Amino acid sequence: MFEERDRRDFKSYYHNLRHSIYKFNEFSKIAELCIKLIALADVYHEIYHKDDLVLVVLTDVNKIVRSKVKQIRENREYMSQRYTT
């Protein structure tokens, strides 16, 4: 079936996608990529019958969303203060 190397490549793709999400500031793009993370974890589980990614995907998505919401709020506050004076 699938080799160990294929599994590692799959996990690498997941982790690279997770890290790339931090580059974006648009909620729609962040949501789209988070949905892809969840889908990857599901496909990985179906193919390999392993829970590795399924167990961490919700935590990962939660961290990403919280981090990005905080960053966007801070940027809005900064811009608001800067341009109202």
Side-chain angles (χ1 to χ4, degrees):
M1 191 152 180
F2 290 94
E3 297 177 18
E4 180 65 28
R5 181 173 161 253
D6 295 328
R7 238 175 60 192
R8 284 193 310 266
D9 290 345
F10 201 99
K11 281 184 164 182
S12 293
Y13 182 76
Y14 173 91
H15 292 291
N16 288 336
L17 176 60
R18 183 185 69 193
H19 291 296
S20 73
I21 294 172
Y22 287 98
K23 297 177 188 175
F24 297 97
N25 288 323
E26 297 174 17
F27 281 120
S28 60
K29 186 66 174 177
I30 293 165
E32 173 190 328
L33 295 175
C34 285
I35 290 168
K36 286 183 181 183
L37 283 180
I38 294 167
L40 280 171
D42 284 344
V43 169
Y44 180 85
H45 179 70
E46 287 179 23
I47 293 173
Y48 301 111
H49 306 289
K50 302 272 186 190
D51 290 337
D52 309 22
L53 296 179
V54 173
L55 296 174
V56 299
V57 70
L58 295 178
T59 303
D60 288 346
V61 169
N62 191 20
K63 285 180 185 176
I64 290 166
V65 170
R66 285 175 185 251
S67 170
K68 296 310 287 183
V69 166
K70 181 180 177 189
Q71 179 185 10
I72 291 169
R73 281 184 183 155
E74 288 172 353
N75 286 343
R76 283 185 183 160
E77 288 174 14
Y78 172 76
M79 296 304 280
S80 175
Q81 290 173 356
R82 182 174 180 171
Y83 289 108
T84 56
T85 57

